[in-house]
Amino acid sequence: MRNERLGLIMILASLLVIGVIATLLLNNQLSSREDRIRSQGTNLARLLGEIPWEQLANTDERQSPLQIMGESQGDPDFAYGVVVSADGQARRQVTEPGVIIPSDPLPQEPSGWLGERIIDQGDSRRPFIEFHAPLFSQGEFSGYIRLGYFKPSFGLSQQEISFVATLALPIFLLTPLFYFMLRMEVRPLRQVNQRVEQLLEEGGANRVELHASGELSEFIDRFTNYIEFSRSRIADLENEQRGLVTSTKLLSYRQSRVESVLKTIPDAIVVLDEAGAISYVNPKVSMMLGIDAEDLRGKTASEWCISPEILSYLSRFESGHLSGNVPDPIRFTPELNKSITVEMRAYPLFSPKNEADVLGTLVVLHDVSKEQQSDRSRGEFVAQVAHELKTPLNVLSLYSESLIGEDGGDEAFRVEAVNIIHDEVERLASLINNLLAITNFELGSSPLNKQRIRISEFLEDAFNNISQSGKGKGLQFTMDLPKEVNAINADKEMLRIAVNNLLTNAIKYNRPNGSVILALEEADKYIDIIVTDTGIGISPEDQKNIYEKFYRSDNEDVRAQPGHGLGLSLVQEIVLLHGGRLILDSAPGKGSRFTIRLNKSSGNMGFVA
Ligand code: ADP
C-alpha cells in the first residue's frame, strides 16, 4: 500500500513537472510571438505611414501598396490592414478570411496618431493588437493606416502539442525508472522496519540486530547502536525502579511496624517537629486528653494547650536548644478528662547520623491515676492494719494490767479476762494470718504449694475446728461431704484460709438458732465447696464491694460483729489463683451461700479410694 502511494506520488510529481515545464515554454513562446508581432506591426505601420495618402488611398486597388503588403504577408497572426480617412471612413483594406475589421474610433490628437492598442472583440473571438500610423497628403493629416494582428493566445497548436509530447515522453519513461531505483534504495529501510516490528512483537527482549547495505548501512549501524543504548538505559532504569520499589516497600513496612508499636503501647505518644508543631500522635492521645487526634496534627503547643505549666515545660525543648539534662516530668489533669492524672515526659529526638542535629521532640503521656490510687490504697491499708492491730492489743493490755492489779484476785474476773484474752488473741492470729497471706500474694513471693488433698477429710477437719468456736451461739452445724470424691491438687494452707474465712463469716453473720452447712458436690468438670448460712444476708449493693480489702457493710448487724474486711478479698484471691470461681447467692434476711468452684482440670484430680 505504501509502495503504491509512493508510485502515485511519483506519477503526480512527474505530471506536475511536465505541466510546469510546458507552461514555462508556452509562456516564453507567447511573449516572443507578441514581441515579434509588436516589432513587425510597429515597423510596418511606420513604413506605410511614410507613403503619401493619395498613393495609399486612391491608387488602383490592385496597385495599392496595402494590397501588395497584404498579399505578401506570410504571417499567420496578421488579421487586417485598412486605410481610413480622418473621419474614420475605410478607403482601402485587406483582411484575412473571416475577419471583420473593428470600427473603433482613433485618437484625434496628434500625440495619439502613432501607436498601438488592444481591441477586445468580446464574445469568444480573439482580440486584436492594432498598430496605427498617421497618413499625410502634401504635409496635411489625411487619415490613418491601421494594421491588426491576432493577439497570440495560450492554446496549443499542433506543433506545440507534438513538442510537449516529445518533452513528456522521456519524463514519463524516466518516472518508473526513478521509482524502481528509489524502491531499491528504500528496500533496506523496509527490511529494518519489518525487523523493528518483529522486535516490538517480541517485547524488546532480544538483542537488536539490523543490517543494511550501501548508503544506508552507516545510518542503520548508528540507529542500531542508539537502540542498544536505549535498551541498556531502559534496563538500568528498570533496575533502579525495582530497587526503589523494594526500598519503598521496606520503608513502608518499617513505618507500619513503628506505627503499630506506637499504637500498641499503653502510653500516649506525641511527636513534635523542629518547629514544635505536632507531626504524629498515636490513638491513645485522644483517649487520654479527650481531644480528637486529627485536630492536633500540625498545631504548635500554644495552639492546643492553655496550661502555663505544660507550655513552659515544652518550651524548654523548642528549637532543639535543650540546655542541661532532660527536665523532670510534670503531672497534670487533662482539661477534657478530669478523671485521670497524666505524667508528661519529653525527650529530644536526635538524628541518627548526626547527634548534634535535633529532629524534634518525643512527648510521652502516661496515665498515673492507678499508681496514685495504689499509693493512696497502700497508705490506707497500713493505717487500717495499724488500727486493726491496735484494738485487740488495747484490750489485751487492759485485761493483763487488771489481772496483775487488784482485780486479778477475783476468780470470776480472771475467768472472764482469760476468755476475752483468748478471743482477742485468736482474732489477732486470724488477722495476722490473713495479712501475711495477702502480703505474700502482693509480693508475689507465695507460689502455690499444690499437693493432693483428700478434700472430704480436709473439709471435715476444718469444719470441726471452726464449729468448736461457734458452739456458744446456739447454731446448728451440718456437714454434707460425700466420701467418694476424688482428691484434688491444691495448696492446703491457702484452701484452709479460704474455707475458714467463709465458715467464720457464716457463724459471725448468723442469727440465733440459725444453721451453718458445709457441703461438697462433684460435677463432671468441677467440684463445689458450698458454705450456706441462714444469717443476715448481703444486700445487692454490698455484694458489689465485699471483695475489696477492708470493706465492711454499714449494716448495724455487721458492725455489731468484730471484723477487719480482709477475709473475702483473700478468699477471692485464693480461689482465682487456683483457677476457680467464687459464687455468691444471697439476699438480705435470708442468709448467704458461698460456693468455691474448682475445675477438675487434668492433673488436678486423683482418685481416692
Ligand atoms: P469481715 O472481717 O468484715 O467479716 P470479710 O471480708 O470476711 O470481712 O467480709 C466482708 C463483708 O461481707 C462483711 O463485713 C459483711 O458485711 C459481708 N459478709 C461476708 N460474709 C457474710 C455472710 N455470711 N453473711 C452476711 N454478710 C457477710
Side-chain angles (χ1 to χ4, degrees), residues 501-502 505-510 533 535-538 542 546-548 550-555 558 561-570 586 591-592 594:
N501 271 306
L502 291 182
N505 284 348
I507 295 167
K508 262 199 309 193
Y509 302 115
N510 222 310
D533 66 63
I536 57 172
I538 306 167
D542 284 340
I546 52 175
Y547 303 107
E548 281 172 24
F550 295 110
Y551 180 81
R552 301 204 73 209
S553 169
D554 290 335
N555 185 323
V558 172
Q561 298 298 326
H564 36 70
L566 288 176
L568 282 185
S569 101
L570 199 53
S586 178
S592 309
F594 283 92

Side-chain angles (χ1 to χ4, degrees), residues 273-564:
D273 62 19
E274 305 101 304
I278 294 177
S279 60
Y280 175 82
V281 285
N282 75 349
K284 298 279 176 348
V285 173
S286 314
M287 280 185 251
M288 215 176 267
L289 302 184
I291 307 172
D292 191 353
E294 289 304 318
D295 291 346
L296 289 174
R297 289 217 171 89
K299 288 192 177 155
T300 55
S302 57
E303 287 172 314
W304 63 270
C305 173
I306 49 165
S307 154
E309 201 189 353
I310 298 175
L311 287 173
S312 100
Y313 180 72
L314 290 178
S315 70
R316 298 184 61 183
F317 293 85
E318 259 170 28
S319 61
H321 296 304
L322 179 64
S323 50
N325 295 330
V326 174
D328 288 338
I330 52 163
R331 287 188 176 191
F332 64 94
T333 300
E335 196 63 28
L336 300 173
N337 188 9
K338 292 225 156 88
S339 61
I340 61 165
T341 306
V342 174
E343 185 177 87
M344 177 186 264
R345 268 171 206 275
Y347 306 89
L349 290 172
F350 298 107
S351 157
K353 286 178 188 155
N354 179 11
E355 294 253 324
D357 225 359
V358 177
L359 301 177
T361 311
L362 174 73
V363 181
V364 182
L365 303 168
H366 180 63
D367 181 355
V368 289
S369 319
K370 283 206 175 120
E371 287 164 30
Q372 276 189 334
Q373 177 69 32
S374 93
D375 285 350
R376 254 197 311 273
S377 307
R378 207 166 292 128
E380 284 168 8
F381 181 79
V382 172
Q384 286 274 6
V385 169
H387 175 74
E388 292 297 325
L389 286 171
K390 227 176 127 191
T391 315
L393 281 175
N394 281 343
V395 176
L396 285 176
S397 140
L398 201 73
Y399 275 90
S400 53
E401 270 173 26
S402 302
L403 280 174
I404 294 165
E406 282 175 15
D407 292 341
D410 181 11
E411 180 61 30
F413 177 76
R414 274 220 305 276
V415 173
E416 187 205 334
V418 167
N419 275 328
I420 288 176
I421 288 172
H422 175 262
D423 282 358
E424 288 304 319
V425 167
E426 280 223 326
R427 205 177 138 195
L428 261 179
S430 129
L431 173 62
I432 289 168
N433 270 348
N434 283 350
L435 279 173
L436 270 176
I438 286 176
T439 319
N440 281 339
F441 281 145
E442 288 198 343
L443 293 175
S445 61
S446 173
L448 290 182
N449 179 20
K450 279 190 179 177
Q451 51 186 293
R452 285 179 69 183
I453 304 171
R454 291 165 191 267
I455 188 70
S456 291
E457 288 172 21
F458 165 81
L459 290 177
E460 196 179 334
D461 186 41
F463 191 73
N464 287 335
N465 279 340
I466 295 291
S467 56
Q468 288 293 325
S469 62
K471 259 189 183 145
K473 298 202 170 185
L475 297 171
Q476 194 189 332
F477 291 95
T478 314
M479 266 192 293
D480 182 8
L481 307 171
K483 288 280 173 215
E484 305 78 25
V485 176
N486 288 326
I488 63 162
N489 268 336
D491 185 316
K492 206 171 179 178
E493 281 318 305
M494 291 296 160
L495 202 58
R496 191 186 298 281
I497 293 173
V499 174
N500 279 356
N501 271 306
L502 291 182
L503 287 170
T504 313
N505 284 348
I507 295 167
K508 262 199 309 193
Y509 302 115
N510 222 310
R511 291 180 184 284
N513 303 318
S515 66
V516 175
I517 307 165
L518 175 65
L520 179 65
E521 287 177 8
E522 184 175 17
D524 279 352
K525 294 188 175 165
Y526 52 82
I527 60 150
D528 284 343
I529 301 166
I530 309 158
V531 177
T532 313
D533 66 63
T534 51
I536 57 172
I538 306 167
S539 70
E541 291 76 45
D542 284 340
Q543 287 186 28
K544 290 179 203 156
N545 303 312
I546 52 175
Y547 303 107
E548 281 172 24
K549 289 189 192 85
F550 295 110
Y551 180 81
R552 301 204 73 209
S553 169
D554 290 335
N555 185 323
E556 54 187 31
D557 290 337
V558 172
R559 291 284 165 176
Q561 298 298 326
H564 36 70

Side-chain angles (χ1 to χ4, degrees), residues 87-101:
D87 56 359
Q89 295 292 319
R91 293 294 177 85
R92 288 281 180 270
Q93 60 183 49
V94 281
T95 59
E96 286 297 308
V99 172
I100 298 163
I101 298 167

Side-chain angles (χ1 to χ4, degrees), residues 190-306:
R190 282 217 319 270
Q191 284 167 353
V192 168
N193 185 29
Q194 280 170 359
R195 180 79 186 111
V196 169
E197 252 176 36
Q198 199 184 338
L199 284 170
L200 282 174
E201 277 165 20
E202 289 164 3
N206 296 331
R207 226 191 102 75
V208 180
E209 277 172 24
L210 303 173
H211 302 288
S213 54
E215 295 275 311
L216 280 172
S217 73
E218 202 180 333
F219 163 72
I220 293 299
D221 284 349
R222 284 202 186 126
F223 181 62
T224 310
N225 286 341
Y226 179 72
I227 289 182
E228 264 313 301
F229 169 74
S230 305
R231 255 168 58 92
S232 71
R233 188 80 193 99
I234 289 170
D236 288 349
L237 286 172
E238 279 176 349
N239 273 344
E240 267 173 41
Q241 194 204 9
R242 267 196 291 276
L244 280 173
V245 168
T246 316
S247 20
T248 312
K249 275 187 187 158
L250 205 68
L251 273 177
S252 70
Y253 166 71
R254 279 185 189 156
Q255 187 189 353
S256 57
R257 219 170 46 170
V258 170
E259 278 185 3
S260 76
V261 169
L262 290 175
K263 264 184 200 164
T264 318
I265 57 173
D267 291 338
I269 302 289
V270 178
V271 178
L272 310 177
D273 62 19
E274 305 101 304
I278 294 177
S279 60
Y280 175 82
V281 285
N282 75 349
K284 298 279 176 348
V285 173
S286 314
M287 280 185 251
M288 215 176 267
L289 302 184
I291 307 172
D292 191 353
E294 289 304 318
D295 291 346
L296 289 174
R297 289 217 171 89
K299 288 192 177 155
T300 55
S302 57
E303 287 172 314
W304 63 270
C305 173
I306 49 165

